């Protein structure tokens, strides 16, 4: 999903630094349809869609099923992800 939230900008990739279990993943998932049994495993790659609160939080998506869909959408914090690269907007 290259433009999930309509931002139209290059996204960053990140890796989860801790596992998010099924109950927590369901609770924190912003999508209306939640896949049963979904967990976010430590080391899994996510796409950062937006940096929030001056880098204190990130809107991320997980599990690309197709170009316009994902399995999980929610907010993660710097202690939960390791950024892999910066987008042009953050490098400026």
């Amino acid at each position: 999903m290259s433009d999930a939230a309509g931002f139209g900008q290059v996204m960053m990739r990140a890796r989860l630094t801790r596992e998010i279990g099924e109950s927590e993943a369901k609770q924190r998932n912003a999508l209306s349809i939640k896949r049963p049994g979904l967990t976010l495993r430590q080391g899994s790659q996510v796409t950062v869609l937006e940096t929030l609160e001056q880098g204190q939080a990130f809107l991320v998506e997980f599990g690309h099923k197709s170009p316009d869909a994902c399995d999980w959408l929610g907010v993660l914090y710097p202690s939960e992800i390791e950024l892999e690269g910066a987008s042009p907007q953050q490098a400026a």
Side-chain angles (χ1 to χ4, degrees), residues 46-69:
V46 298
T47 301
V48 177
L49 303 175
E50 177 85 9
T51 300
L52 308 170
E53 301 172 15
Q54 299 177 350
Q56 297 302 307
F58 302 94
L59 177 65
V60 305
E61 67 178 2
F62 172 83
H64 300 278
K65 296 187 290 188
S66 68
D68 61 351

Side-chain angles (χ1 to χ4, degrees), residues 1-77:
M1 180 181 325
S2 61
D3 192 17
F7 303 118
Q9 300 181 11
V10 176
M11 309 303 169
M12 283 188 296
R13 303 298 277 174
R15 292 209 181 272
L16 290 173
T17 58
R18 72 172 190 91
E19 182 166 322
I20 297 177
E22 181 179 355
S23 176
E24 184 180 3
K26 183 177 180 180
Q27 180 182 32
R28 293 176 67 178
N29 192 346
L31 299 174
S32 57
I33 299 174
K34 296 166 176 39
R35 193 179 95 196
L38 178 69
T39 62
L40 284 68
R41 300 203 186 279
Q42 182 177 1
S44 295
Q45 195 170 61
V46 298
T47 301
V48 177
L49 303 175
E50 177 85 9
T51 300
L52 308 170
E53 301 172 15
Q54 299 177 350
Q56 297 302 307
F58 302 94
L59 177 65
V60 305
E61 67 178 2
F62 172 83
H64 300 278
K65 296 187 290 188
S66 68
D68 61 351
C70 65
D71 289 325
W72 191 90
L73 177 72
V75 174
L76 294 177
Y77 299 94

